[in-house]
Amino acid sequence: MALVAFVSLQCEKQAIICFQPYLWPISTVFFFCRFLLLRLKDFCGEFLKKKLSLSNSVAIHSLAHMYSLNQLALKAADMIRRNFYKVIQDEEFYTLPFHLIRDWLSDIEITVDSEEVLFEMVVKWVQRNPDEREKYFGELFKLLRLSQMKPTYLTRHVKSERLVCSNEMCLKLVSEAVESHALRAENLLLGTHQQVASSITSLPRFGQNMDVIMVIGGVSEGGDYLSECVGYFIDEDRWVNLPHIHNHLDGHAVVVTESYVYVAGSMEPGFAKTVERYNPNRNVWEQVSNLITRKHSFGLTEVKGNLYSIGGHGNFIPGFKDVAVYHPDQDKWHNLESAPKILRDVKVITVDDRFVYMAARTPVDGDNEEGLRSVIVRYDADARQWQDSESLPLLDNYCCFQMAVANTNFYHTASCCPRSYSLDHEEVKRKISGQVSDDILESLPPEVLSIEGAAVCYFKDDVFIIGGWKNSDDTDKQYRKEAYRYCAERKRWLLLPPMPQPRCRATACHVRIPFRSLHGTQRYPMPQNLMWQKDRIRQMQEIHRHSLSLRRMPRSQIEC
């Protein structure tokens, strides 16, 4: 508000300088006064549009409605809508009047992590001024999608809330939602697909973030590079199409940050330096600055908002010691002091937003397994110091699985999504020397560990294994489209629906994507740069086949 007052004051000063009433007829004065006021309002609107940010979006949106600044209101509303789960953490949001709270709850595009968050938001808004706001609770409660809340949450938290208990209509809505959950569970148990509710309100909001295991790039049968990305929609137990990447990625690295999914590097030389990031909110891939070095099979992780690229392998180079850091706000990579040894096939976990543990392989003089030796090292990103480690810390199922398969070819050829832990480093050190249990492998089909080039990732305490190839013979590789999930709740492995097409050497990660991008059938075109390249490859293959056919044709004999 102080910003608006300042802009208005500056414009008012200029209006007073330019406008002196005693020099103009009274009718002209009124005309210019109206003209200047309109210009002042437009000037303020344009100025505030440039200064719009997440921290002031709620105040500017209210101001734009108050003074009918339509374009400013639309831009502020779009920012609030796409970041609603962040906006409701600001105390200023709870000063909004009832009609604006009602409008936001009626909006199916608001981006939220769950419907439970919206219920807690409504209760908090009422509690800020209960004497005046309790009368609005029932109307706001009707706008919540109770069928999207978990049954346990409905019975333990919603039904026991004082505002709900004292309202008969609210209690009835809760009972109907619990009943719909029971019917849905019964249909699932019986294997029927009877529709419980056909209303649009029975679906998640289009802006609700849903849990998806995203599979990126890789190679398919015949050695074809895949630009198609697919996702396993966890809540609906099905695969969905996601936008194509703009590069041929094979042996690339992936890392998930708060706002993006970054992928970098490739075995394919033309794309070995490229870096792209996926914006889940807008469902698009964006190009960012390239890596400094062409490489693949390296470690990529986030520490304090910056990305670290560590080690890697080149197609004609034994490996790299390189360490580089990427600053997203500058969109630039910078080289740091190198690692003490070559690190390739790097798997990463980060602890305390500082310590980076890496399981990798390094070349050695010897005849054992291609002359490579397994190593585990620790990098202190703050002090930029290296130290050998006994093993990866056994922090959860994901770490335990990695250590249980650490000596297999399955692990060395797989891509493992990096994971960050907020645990204190002293606590982590106590867990490094722990015994690795094989329990997590008991229900996994033994043939899975003979797969190479699989993608491994996590979701909460669950572990996923996706794709790969079965036969190491280059002439007869059996590309896989199976996917497996270790369910921590059941303590067993489950076979998931197969991917739409087989792929190996892909990467996989957990990402939250708004429901609007997952609902219905999705179709995405191949990027233009890859389309041109595909046409060129097809033309070259036709020329090659034509030249071969000419060589095989019998030459005409000339009689003497």
Side-chain angles (χ1 to χ4, degrees):
M1 298 306 292
L3 181 64
V4 178
F6 171 77
V7 174
S8 302
L9 183 61
Q10 296 301 314
C11 293
E12 187 178 349
K13 286 180 180 177
Q14 294 199 12
I16 292 172
I17 292 170
C18 298
F19 175 65
Q20 298 183 13
Y22 57 85
L23 295 178
W24 302 89
I26 192 67
S27 59
T28 310
V29 170
F30 287 143
F31 172 78
F32 276 100
C33 183
R34 182 179 178 81
F35 175 75
L36 287 171
L37 286 173
L38 290 174
R39 291 291 302 274
L40 170 63
K41 189 173 82 167
D42 293 340
F43 178 85
C44 289
E46 290 301 317
F47 183 86
L48 291 172
K49 196 182 293 186
K50 295 175 184 177
K51 297 295 181 181
L52 183 64
S53 67
L54 202 56
S55 60
N56 61 21
S57 57
V58 173
I60 289 179
H61 180 256
S62 300
L63 189 73
H65 273 288
M66 189 183 301
Y67 292 102
S68 302
L69 296 166
N70 297 331
Q71 293 301 316
L72 179 61
L74 289 173
K75 187 172 182 181
D78 183 64
M79 178 174 285
I80 294 171
R81 185 176 292 113
R82 292 186 177 277
N83 298 277
F84 197 76
Y85 62 102
K86 296 179 181 177
V87 170
I88 60 177
Q89 296 174 13
D90 191 340
E91 288 298 320
E92 190 172 13
F93 180 83
Y94 297 93
T95 64
L96 293 179
F98 160 71
H99 71 277
L100 288 180
I101 297 292
R102 179 194 58 201
D103 291 347
W104 284 122
L105 279 179
S106 303
D107 193 332
I108 63 171
E109 293 286 349
I110 53 175
T111 302
V112 292
D113 287 331
S114 66
E115 201 72 15
E116 288 91 333
V117 173
L118 294 181
F119 168 72
E120 292 167 7
M121 180 267 288
V122 171
V123 172
K124 185 176 178 181
W125 180 81
V126 172
Q127 289 175 346
R128 284 290 184 275
N129 191 354
D131 293 338
E132 293 185 7
R133 295 179 174 180
E134 276 196 22
K135 59 185 177 183
Y136 299 122
F137 178 78
E139 190 170 345
L140 296 176
F141 190 79
K142 286 192 296 185
L143 299 174
L144 296 174
R145 303 194 171 194
L146 300 180
S147 61
Q148 293 303 311
M149 297 183 188
K150 296 177 181 177
T152 52
Y153 186 87
L154 285 170
T155 54
R156 295 176 185 174
H157 299 281
V158 178
K159 194 173 182 179
S160 61
E161 169 59 42
R162 181 188 63 82
L163 294 167
V164 176
C165 290
S166 58
N167 190 312
E168 187 177 343
M169 181 268 295
C170 293
L171 286 173
K172 182 180 178 182
L173 291 174
V174 172
S175 299
E176 290 174 353
V178 172
E179 183 180 349
S180 70
H181 276 294
L183 290 173
R184 195 178 298 118
E186 185 177 350
N187 288 337
L188 186 64
L189 187 63
L190 296 175
T192 61
H193 299 281
Q194 182 181 351
Q195 191 74 15
V196 175
S198 58
S199 171
I200 188 67
T201 58
S202 66
L203 298 174
R205 297 173 189 268
F206 287 159
Q208 182 173 332
N209 290 321
M210 312 302 291
D211 295 306
V212 175
I213 300 298
M214 187 178 192
V215 183
I216 307 162
V219 181
S220 186
E221 292 174 317
D224 294 330
Y225 286 100
L226 294 171
S227 63
E228 298 95 332
C229 295
V230 295
Y232 173 65
F233 189 176
I234 294 177
D235 282 356
E236 296 190 4
D237 189 32
R238 65 182 177 91
W239 291 90
V240 296
N241 291 321
L242 296 171
H244 290 243
I245 50 177
H246 297 85
N247 305 305
H248 287 149
L249 301 183
D250 169 18
H252 47 294
V254 63
V255 64
V256 182
T257 67
E258 184 180 1
S259 304
Y260 300 101
V261 175
Y262 286 86
V263 292
S266 179
M267 288 186 185
E268 211 288 324
F271 300 103
K273 292 175 71 173
T274 57
V275 184
E276 283 191 74
R277 68 184 185 189
Y278 173 69
N279 185 336
N281 216 344
R282 297 188 179 275
N283 197 33
V284 295
W285 285 97
E286 306 166 345
Q287 297 276 2
V288 296
S289 289
N290 287 346
L291 294 169
I292 298 172
T293 308
R294 300 178 188 274
K295 57 181 174 178
H296 61 84
S297 306
F298 60 97
L300 188 66
T301 190
E302 179 193 22
V303 179
K304 292 182 171 66
N306 299 320
L307 303 188
Y308 284 77
S309 161
I310 303 172
H313 186 201
N315 289 340
F316 305 103
I317 300 173
F320 295 104
K321 301 179 180 179
D322 297 0
V323 179
V325 61
Y326 172 76
H327 301 282
D329 53 341
Q330 303 172 13
D331 191 26
K332 288 183 179 179
W333 288 89
H334 301 284
N335 275 325
L336 302 177
E337 185 178 348
S338 298
K341 63 187 76 173
I342 289 175
L343 299 172
R344 48 189 279 190
D345 305 320
V346 185
K347 280 75 177 175
V348 181
I349 66 169
T350 305
V351 174
D352 202 17
D353 211 16
R354 174 179 176 178
F355 299 97
V356 182
Y357 285 86
M358 285 161 279
R361 293 196 291 179
T362 189
V364 294
D365 294 329
D367 299 328
N368 61 314
E369 197 189 347
E370 303 175 356
L372 297 173
R373 177 171 59 89
S374 297
V375 295
I376 296 177
V377 293
R378 190 191 81 192
Y379 177 62
D380 185 339
D382 287 354
R384 297 182 182 177
Q385 294 178 345
W386 293 86
Q387 182 179 339
D388 289 337
S389 179
E390 298 176 17
S391 67
L392 291 178
L394 304 178
L395 301 174
D396 61 3
N397 289 329
Y398 190 56
C399 292
C400 290
F401 174 74
Q402 289 193 51
M403 290 308 298
V405 299
N407 297 319
T408 65
N409 208 41
F410 168 88
Y411 185 59
H412 295 318
T413 61
S415 69
C416 294
C417 182
R419 185 165 191 175
S420 296
Y421 300 88
S422 57
L423 297 174
D424 179 80
H425 189 244
E426 292 303 318
E427 183 180 352
V428 170
K429 285 198 292 187
R430 290 194 293 270
K431 296 186 178 183
I432 286 180
S433 57
Q435 280 297 110
V436 180
S437 172
D438 292 334
D439 293 347
I440 197 170
L441 300 180
E442 283 185 355
S443 61
L444 181 67
E447 63 269 16
V448 175
L449 294 183
S450 65
I451 292 174
E452 298 181 21
V456 181
C457 69
Y458 64 89
F459 166 60
K460 297 181 180 178
D461 289 330
D462 293 3
V463 183
F464 289 80
I465 301 174
I466 300 168
W469 72 78
K470 185 70 170 163
N471 196 325
S472 59
D473 183 0
D474 288 341
T475 60
D476 188 27
K477 285 184 178 176
Q478 300 173 11
Y479 289 81
R480 317 296 291 182
K481 56 182 179 180
E482 289 87 357
Y484 300 86
R485 175 185 184 180
Y486 178 73
C487 180
E489 185 178 358
R490 301 184 188 180
K491 294 186 177 181
R492 58 176 297 182
W493 288 88
L494 307 174
L495 180 63
L496 304 180
M499 284 188 291
Q501 65 184 121
R503 66 176 75 199
C504 68
R505 295 204 297 266
T507 55
C509 61
H510 166 251
V511 61
R512 293 178 66 78
I513 301 176
F515 184 67
R516 73 174 74 89
S517 304
L518 309 173
H519 181 52
T521 304
Q522 309 82 24
R523 292 287 182 269
Y524 299 98
M526 180 180 288
Q528 200 65 42
N529 66 314
L530 296 184
M531 188 70 75
W532 292 337
Q533 190 176 57
K534 191 174 182 179
D535 290 341
R536 286 178 57 194
I537 293 173
R538 189 183 295 114
Q539 291 172 3
M540 293 176 64
Q541 289 174 341
E542 289 178 359
I543 293 171
H544 180 64
R545 282 195 295 267
H546 183 64
S547 63
L548 287 177
S549 62
L550 287 177
R551 290 177 189 174
R552 292 168 182 165
M553 288 178 63
R555 296 181 180 179
S556 57
Q557 296 179 358
I558 301 176
E559 295 182 2
C560 296

